[in-house]
Amino acid sequence: MLDIPAQPNDAEGRHTAEYLRVKGLAEHGVPSAQHSLGFMYASGQGVAQNDEMAVAWYRMAAASGLELAQYNLGVMYQKGQGVAQDHGQAAYWYRRAAEQGYAPAQYNLGWLYAKGQGVPNDVAQALHWFGAAADQGEPGAQHNLGMMYETGKGVAQDIDTATAWYRRAAEQGYARSQFSLALRSDGAAAVDWFRKAAEQGHAPAQFNLGLRYDKGQDVPQDSERAILWYGRAAEQGHASSQFNLALIYDSGHGVPRNEALALTWYRRAAEQGHAGAQDNLGVRYEHGQGVERDPSQAAHWYRQAAEQGMPSAQYHLAQLIDAGNGVPADPEQAVHWYRKAAEQGHLRAQFDLGLRYESGAGVKRDEAQALEWYRRAAHQGYAPAQYMVGTLLDRFDDRDPVEATGWFHKAADQGHALAQFELGLRHDCGKGIERDYEAAHFWYLCAARQGHARAQFNLGVMYSAGQGVQRDLVEAYGWLQRAGAAGVDAASSYLKKIAGRMEPQLLAQVQGAV
């Protein structure tokens, strides 16, 4: 007979009558009673919880061939409860129960083969045991079969069969399968499966249900319900839910804005490695939003996210390094991070990298490379980059001025004052475009209204000469006066000429108005 560990020195009176009844049967060699006694020790029912005693009684019942005891003994070995963890022994006992048709043991044995724990990694064996358990209705095995058919692991990929297995498990209430079905469903069906899994505490489902309420996707938009579901997942440590909670509180979307709560959730997500939260936390430290301004802390969080490949964090880190703000200034390191972000399509990083190649800051000066990076940002519709593409094209002798004009036009259409002035000049002199004084007047006027001094001067000259617009000495005087105040020296001589052509009363009126 197997040795049994010494039992705690408890008075018999502290044990329940059921414990004493089961103990008597177990000691007389009844396997089912031995298993029940082991379970009572494992769960602390009617006796002090004691894993070693549970193992001893499970072992006696298992040796008699009781499949449930074999399974539970395997669990104790797998978890290292009451005995040293030993996946080989776990597999041995699971197999003995599995061969008797016990579905949970078949499922667990399949997992050990899938993971190669205690047995060789063997996808075919995993598939066999999962299949045996799944056919008996074991939902975990059904779910795993679904995953294997979905990914084509150990079996020909078959999405329909995968979905069928997920559905069989989901209809038994298995949360992971309910979540998988939700991901493969649309509209109300998806929401229904997410809700079923979420109500069982499945964090990814709670996140997805929160997301639908947050965005108003397939359900009416409801920020309070979004917060409810995000919150349940967030309390389980689901980083994306923590981040989305922070975004809601930060923006005040549908709920009162709460910067302190936003900061709390950003920090919790950031500490779990969520790159978006780390970047946002960096922004708060950089600008002193809800925390004391601390550029070195900002750099710390930006770097955490940047090293995960987040382009906005790479760009923010580059800016700090470029300015020596919270970290030592290092133009080459700044270029390194600008490049990382630029290569991922971050348009401001692309533009700033173009500036550095153009000026030679932190990198060898290279106007061709500058043009390449400006172009990438320009193709994303960034007006300053479109203007710089036009400017650089103008410098190259072998470039078509028509192409430069096209880029100036794109930037000018977005309200870029320098591009509007340049477009006015090109219409004025017929460079890269047909000469058109009316168009020149239009673009000068656009730039002049934004305070562009040279455009104001040229506009004044055009009104004075009646070029592209009806002659108007009052308008001419007003625009030249503004240009002169902005530092255009030539404006003063034009003002004198115009003043000499105006009636004294009109001149006095204009000068008084100005």
Side-chain angles (χ1 to χ4, degrees):
M1 183 172 177
L2 293 172
D3 289 336
I4 298 176
Q7 299 185 44
N9 187 23
D10 291 330
E12 287 290 313
R14 294 181 59 186
H15 300 315
T16 64
E18 177 63 13
Y19 164 78
L20 294 173
R21 184 188 72 80
V22 171
K23 181 171 180 286
L25 292 172
E27 288 174 344
H28 281 83
V30 178
S32 60
Q34 292 169 339
H35 172 263
S36 295
L37 189 59
F39 185 81
M40 294 176 85
Y41 274 112
S43 59
Q45 290 183 12
V47 66
Q49 197 273 340
N50 187 320
D51 284 339
E52 290 184 357
M53 290 295 294
V55 167
W57 287 109
Y58 281 154
R59 193 185 303 280
M60 291 182 69
S64 298
L66 189 67
E67 70 272 17
L68 185 53
Q70 293 167 339
Y71 167 75
N72 281 335
L73 186 56
V75 170
M76 301 298 272
Y77 271 111
Q78 186 174 5
K79 294 182 176 180
Q81 293 178 341
V83 67
Q85 188 178 52
D86 187 331
H87 288 107
Q89 278 291 300
Y92 170 79
W93 289 110
Y94 285 150
R95 184 182 302 280
R96 289 189 62 177
E99 289 173 347
Q100 295 190 67
Y102 190 61
Q106 294 169 336
Y107 171 56
N108 282 11
L109 184 58
W111 261 120
L112 292 182
Y113 274 112
K115 295 179 178 180
Q117 293 180 341
V119 291
N121 181 272
D122 190 327
V123 175
Q125 280 290 303
L127 187 68
H128 167 75
W129 289 113
F130 285 147
D135 286 338
Q136 295 192 70
E138 169 60 47
Q142 292 170 338
H143 178 79
N144 285 359
L145 271 185
M147 290 196 298
M148 294 180 83
Y149 275 105
E150 182 179 2
T151 60
K153 187 173 183 180
V155 67
Q157 188 178 43
D158 187 333
I159 301 302
D160 290 340
T161 300
T163 302
W165 282 114
Y166 287 143
R167 188 172 299 279
R168 287 179 65 175
E171 288 172 350
Q172 293 189 70
Y174 195 70
R176 291 175 63 201
S177 288
Q178 292 169 338
F179 177 68
S180 294
L181 271 186
L183 294 176
R184 288 153 185 80
S185 304
D186 297 315
V191 172
D192 184 54
W193 285 117
F194 279 135
R195 192 182 306 280
K196 287 180 185 296
E199 287 172 349
Q200 294 191 70
H202 190 271
Q206 292 170 336
F207 167 74
N208 276 273
L209 193 55
L211 191 64
R212 274 157 176 73
Y213 279 113
D214 194 1
K215 307 301 180 186
Q217 180 185 346
D218 302 323
V219 292
Q221 199 284 331
D222 189 331
S223 294
E224 290 185 358
R225 284 183 179 272
I227 286 173
L228 168 70
W229 289 111
Y230 284 151
R232 291 185 182 182
E235 292 295 351
Q236 294 188 66
H238 192 272
S240 293
S241 293
Q242 294 169 341
F243 177 62
N244 283 15
L245 268 182
L247 291 176
I248 289 179
Y249 284 120
D250 201 8
S251 65
H253 180 59
V255 294
R257 187 170 185 270
N258 190 324
E259 191 170 64
L261 264 178
L263 184 64
T264 295
W265 288 113
Y266 279 137
R267 190 180 302 281
R268 287 183 65 174
E271 288 170 351
Q272 289 198 79
H274 191 286
Q278 292 168 338
D279 186 40
N280 274 275
L281 198 54
V283 169
R284 272 145 190 76
Y285 275 109
E286 183 179 359
H287 300 290
Q289 296 175 2
V291 293
E292 187 175 347
R293 185 176 177 276
D294 188 338
S296 63
Q297 272 292 298
H300 165 77
W301 288 113
Y302 287 150
R303 191 178 298 278
Q304 294 288 312
E307 288 175 350
Q308 293 189 65
M310 187 169 194
S312 60
Q314 293 168 339
Y315 177 69
H316 291 147
L317 182 59
Q319 287 189 304
L320 289 186
I321 295 172
D322 209 9
N325 186 14
V327 290
D330 187 335
E332 291 183 2
Q333 266 295 298
V335 167
H336 166 78
W337 288 112
Y338 280 132
R339 189 186 307 282
K340 290 279 190 185
E343 287 172 348
Q344 295 190 70
H346 192 286
L347 70 85
R348 287 296 304 273
Q350 291 170 339
F351 179 72
D352 282 12
L353 194 55
L355 289 175
R356 275 144 192 80
Y357 272 111
E358 186 181 1
S359 64
V363 68
K364 184 178 179 181
R365 189 171 182 275
D366 186 333
E367 288 193 337
Q369 276 290 301
L371 179 60
E372 172 62 23
W373 287 111
Y374 286 145
R375 275 191 190 279
R376 294 196 191 186
H379 282 300
Q380 294 194 63
Y382 190 50
Q386 293 169 337
Y387 171 74
M388 292 307 300
V389 170
T391 300
L392 278 188
L393 287 175
D394 261 355
R395 293 181 194 169
F396 298 147
D397 294 335
D398 60 341
R399 299 289 181 170
D400 182 353
V402 174
E403 184 187 0
T405 301
W407 285 111
F408 286 131
H409 213 304
K410 288 179 185 293
D413 285 340
Q414 294 192 67
H416 193 279
L418 295 177
Q420 291 169 338
F421 172 69
E422 182 62 35
L423 204 53
L425 280 179
R426 294 171 101 79
H427 279 292
D428 204 351
C429 64
K431 180 181 179 182
I433 199 168
E434 185 178 351
R435 176 173 284 176
D436 184 336
Y437 290 127
E438 289 186 5
H441 169 267
F442 171 79
W443 289 113
Y444 284 149
L445 181 61
C446 290
R449 286 173 174 168
Q450 295 193 66
H452 192 287
R454 287 282 308 281
Q456 292 168 341
F457 174 77
N458 287 9
L459 198 58
V461 172
M462 294 189 86
Y463 274 112
S464 172
Q467 190 176 54
V469 67
Q470 187 173 350
R471 179 179 295 172
D472 188 330
L473 296 181
V474 173
E475 282 288 323
Y477 195 94
W479 285 113
L480 288 167
Q481 185 80 9
R482 294 181 198 181
V488 179
D489 294 336
S492 59
S493 61
Y494 271 89
L495 282 169
K496 290 177 183 178
K497 292 177 183 178
I498 292 172
R501 293 161 56 190
M502 297 176 71
E503 294 292 332
Q505 184 177 357
L506 182 59
L507 177 61
Q509 182 181 340
V510 170
Q511 289 176 332
V514 174

